[in-house]
Amino acid sequence: MEFIQDLMTYSFLQKAFITSIMVGIICGVIGCFIVLRGMALMGDAISHAVLPGVAISYMLGINYFYGAVLTGVLTAFSIGAISQNSRIKNDSSIGIVFSAFFALGIILITQARSATDLTQILFGNVLSVRASDMWLTLIIGTVVIVVVILFFKELLVSSFDETMAAAYGLKTRMIHYSIMFLLTLVTVASLQTVGVILVVSLLITPASTAYLLTNRLSVMVILAAFFGALSSIVGLYFSFLYNMPSGPVIALATTALFILAFLFSPKQGVVITKIRTMSKRKAIAE
Amino acid sequence: MIDPITVEHISVSYDGDEVVKDVSFSFEPSSLIGVLGPNGAGKSTLMKAMLGLIHKDHGSVKIGSKTVDEMRKQIAYVPQRSNIDWNFPIVVKDTVLLGTYPKVGILRRPRKADKEWAMECLKQVGMEEFANRQIGELSGGQQQRVFLARALAQKADYFFLDEPFVGIDVTSEEIIINILRDLREAGKVIFVVHHDLSKVKNYFDKLVLINKELIDAGPVNQVFQSGNMTKAYNRQFMLDGLEVPM
């Protein structure tokens, strides 16, 4: 309760709160498409690969947004180029490209700024969110949500049956790269809150939790957004009260929700299905 | 107005290996066409190349005087069952509704009339009672019927089905072939990739027989004879044993 009072009082906490919720929502939403398209590794890759862009932006004194988007998109294209033009498999080309970008990013950042900055970017520090960061997150969030709502139909059909989508004339490759672009935007928006290394937990885990709970994509997207936002708030809470880095706390919160769904989901839950089989066996035996 | 479909000199290669070599044929409206050939003959590849889903080294497809790209909204494609993620969070009726997307168009939602039409297509394949099931909960034959319903929902004139009869039950098989026959009677052009030779004469009125190269294309009685089959399968065929009364 003290937390709510502080939330009313401190404007830095309000900014952190709004940013966290928005980041949780958009990570959950985009995460659904990443999970269903089997691109979880790609999410990890792009989030790591924005690092050199952030560093270059610092050096040039421009907003880190521009550099991060640039290297994020560059990564998506490099991975596509390697796996399409050689015998290297997709997961290997992801590994090759993102480790290179990440390594370059760490070197550039240690050259450009102090080690504290690096820790913040890697692990997130939601309490240091400035007004400009909050606005950037809100703008990116609005763009992402509007695009997903407008093109939900196309995202659904191309994620489910890409060949059918292409057969009736959808530009499936363009859809793929648009999702990569949105993913980059979401990653940039998440830098302050979860940090580069753990963005993937907010992308993959809430979406996977939602995946265990529903048979409809629209419901999955809404649930994932909710779980993402909830995890972010938990992260903020612990970060504020116990001075913990927000990224790891958020990651563990998403994991806790996942474990609950994994064990107790009405249809897929491990414990629930066990109980159901046992009672059925009992009924047959009697 | 349904136009004839003409394939001219299609060639496709993967990593320098030619898998479809210089295939040409043409079919009039009201055709139910079996695409036959041994394993690895390039049947699915030919179909995908016709639809422009994979890169052609050479060749063209014309529908009347138009290209496939200009006719996409008139084309319904049913993929092989093994190419679908059956755990995807989608229920049966929404799967059929996907068939209305091409005509609903971008930035618009399916309306009530579209949803009713999707249900009607689902009824045609006898799957309406499964409308709210997740697609992975169905049997193979039921899944195939749902995908056929999706194709029907597209209100297309040209149908392309990749191995629709693999691993399905007798009831589903009958329902599917009857619908395909109805489509033919309505003047549509239907291509079906198929490999079970025992039912060829019963199912199709026309055939494309390939083994990388075109062996023959045309009416079943012309194509489905020992000489051609021996050429395609590289072994002797006693087709009398395979005859099925019409």
Side-chain angles (χ1 to χ4, degrees):
Chain A
M1 288 314 99
E2 199 188 324
F3 178 67
I4 293 173
Q5 215 155 41
D6 289 336
L7 196 57
M8 300 296 182
T9 324
Y10 300 114
S11 84
F12 81 91
L13 199 55
Q14 286 160 8
K15 275 184 247 151
F17 187 72
I18 293 170
T19 310
S20 306
I21 290 181
M22 190 50 129
V23 164
I25 290 173
I26 55 178
C27 281
V29 171
I30 286 299
C32 287
F33 298 102
I34 303 294
V35 165
L36 290 175
R37 290 168 161 257
M39 301 196 313
L41 258 178
M42 197 73 177
D44 204 18
I46 294 211
S47 57
H48 282 70
V50 300
L51 196 61
V54 174
I56 293 167
S57 306
Y58 272 139
M59 287 171 170
L60 298 176
I62 54 173
N63 191 315
Y64 64 85
F65 173 76
Y66 301 107
V69 169
L70 181 77
T71 48
V73 171
L74 206 59
T75 308
F77 277 109
S78 319
I79 290 168
I82 291 181
S83 54
Q84 275 157 30
N85 298 313
S86 73
R87 60 196 289 183
I88 309 286
K89 291 203 179 74
N90 198 32
D91 56 342
S92 300
S93 51
I94 288 174
I96 293 167
V97 173
F98 103 78
S99 52
F101 273 78
F102 191 55
L104 180 68
I106 290 181
I107 289 175
L108 287 177
I109 271 209
T110 45
Q111 293 300 309
R113 282 284 190 110
S114 67
T116 11
D117 284 320
L118 183 61
T119 326
Q120 274 196 21
I121 291 166
L122 293 185
F123 300 111
N125 182 0
V126 69
L127 296 174
S128 71
V129 168
R130 293 162 304 175
S132 62
D133 299 328
M134 180 185 78
W135 286 115
L136 180 68
T137 305
L138 288 180
I139 292 167
I140 290 178
T142 317
V143 169
V144 169
I145 291 168
V146 167
V147 169
V148 168
I149 290 174
L150 284 181
F151 297 101
F152 188 78
K153 222 163 81 270
E154 286 68 31
L155 288 169
L156 166 61
V157 66
S158 68
S159 303
F160 175 53
D161 188 349
E162 192 163 22
T163 330
M164 182 253 186
Y168 86 74
L170 283 188
K171 303 276 169 265
T172 47
R173 185 168 290 195
M174 202 181 89
I175 294 175
H176 170 81
Y177 282 111
S178 306
I179 292 177
M180 291 297 102
F181 180 67
L182 290 181
L183 177 62
T184 309
L185 291 184
V186 167
T187 306
V188 174
S190 315
L191 278 182
Q192 293 272 323
T193 322
V194 253
V196 170
I197 295 196
L198 291 168
V199 173
V200 71
S201 77
L202 209 43
L203 279 170
I204 305 309
T205 318
S208 302
T209 309
Y211 180 60
L212 292 178
L213 296 173
T214 175
N215 284 333
R216 272 164 218 251
L217 179 61
S218 49
V219 181
M220 179 178 165
V221 169
I222 291 165
L223 281 178
F226 173 72
F227 293 143
L230 189 64
S231 307
S232 294
I233 295 169
V234 171
L236 173 64
Y237 179 83
F238 279 90
S239 171
F240 178 65
L241 285 189
Y242 305 106
N243 199 23
M244 294 178 181
S246 48
V249 180
I250 291 173
L252 289 179
T254 63
T255 314
L257 289 172
F258 177 78
I259 290 172
L260 284 178
F262 180 71
L263 295 177
F264 301 112
S265 150
K267 277 207 166 158
Q268 320 279 338
V270 175
V271 173
I272 299 291
T273 34
K274 262 260 159 62
I275 291 173
R276 212 178 290 147
T277 351
M278 269 174 27
S279 63
K280 224 172 229 160
R281 269 194 207 138
K282 218 170 149 195
I284 292 168
E286 272 165 7
Chain B
M1 185 44 208
I2 300 175
D3 286 310
I5 182 162
T6 308
V7 167
E8 283 184 331
H9 306 295
I10 284 191
S11 295
V12 182
S13 58
Y14 289 131
D15 295 331
D17 268 344
E18 270 208 311
V19 284
V20 173
K21 290 181 196 164
D22 194 28
V23 171
S24 305
F25 51 79
S26 179
F27 288 101
E28 295 295 314
S30 277
S31 296
L32 177 46
I33 305 139
V35 180
L36 289 196
N39 282 335
K43 303 183 291 285
S44 299
T45 307
L46 172 64
M47 187 175 266
K48 285 188 181 145
M50 285 172 71
L51 294 172
L53 298 173
I54 52 173
H55 178 78
K56 290 191 281 288
D57 297 338
H58 188 72
S60 68
V61 181
K62 281 265 150 54
I63 298 178
S65 58
K66 293 191 168 141
T67 64
V68 168
D69 273 333
E70 292 169 307
M71 293 294 286
R72 291 224 173 265
K73 287 196 176 150
Q74 294 306 331
I75 292 173
Y77 172 75
V78 177
Q80 272 184 46
R81 222 150 36 82
S82 55
N83 288 345
I84 296 295
D85 170 13
W86 297 103
N87 289 317
F88 197 92
I90 191 165
V91 295
V92 167
K93 63 177 182 191
D94 292 339
T95 308
V96 181
L97 194 62
L98 299 178
T100 66
Y101 284 11
K103 296 216 163 80
V104 168
I106 219 158
L107 295 179
R108 299 217 191 143
R109 310 251 127 166
R111 313 244 160 178
K112 196 161 164 249
D114 297 309
K115 289 180 184 163
E116 283 167 4
W117 168 241
M119 272 314 274
E120 204 167 297
C121 295
L122 200 52
K123 273 187 199 140
Q124 282 188 47
V125 300
M127 288 293 296
E128 69 275 20
E129 56 183 304
F130 297 90
N132 289 309
R133 293 277 193 91
Q134 196 267 337
I135 47 161
E137 298 170 19
L138 309 178
S139 74
Q142 291 171 329
Q143 290 172 341
Q144 199 69 56
R145 275 145 73 187
V146 170
F147 270 67
L148 179 60
R150 184 181 76 177
L152 294 175
Q154 286 183 249
K155 294 183 181 165
D157 290 331
Y158 304 88
F159 290 78
F160 294 81
L161 293 83
D162 199 347
E163 300 269 18
F165 297 112
V166 169
I168 71 173
D169 55 291
V170 182
T171 321
S172 297
E173 193 166 340
E174 256 170 42
I175 291 173
I176 291 173
I177 193 67
N178 283 331
I179 288 174
L180 296 184
R181 283 179 182 140
D182 289 347
L183 290 171
R184 178 187 57 200
E185 294 316 307
K188 319 271 184 189
V189 180
I190 309 115
F191 286 92
V192 180
V193 171
H194 190 70
H195 73 248
D196 177 8
L197 294 177
S198 68
K199 292 176 178 161
V200 166
K201 282 205 156 184
N202 193 2
Y203 281 0
F204 307 111
D205 55 357
K206 290 165 193 162
L207 291 180
V208 172
L209 180 62
I210 59 166
N211 189 355
K212 298 186 179 168
E213 301 167 304
L214 181 74
I215 310 292
D216 198 3
V220 171
N221 290 332
Q222 172 204 313
V223 178
F224 201 58
Q225 40 105 349
S226 333
N228 276 338
M229 299 306 283
T230 307
K231 242 201 249 169
Y233 288 79
N234 295 320
R235 58 190 164 95
Q236 286 298 314
F237 264 88
M238 295 296 290
L239 284 179
D240 290 344
L242 289 168
E243 295 259 344
V244 178
M246 289 290 273

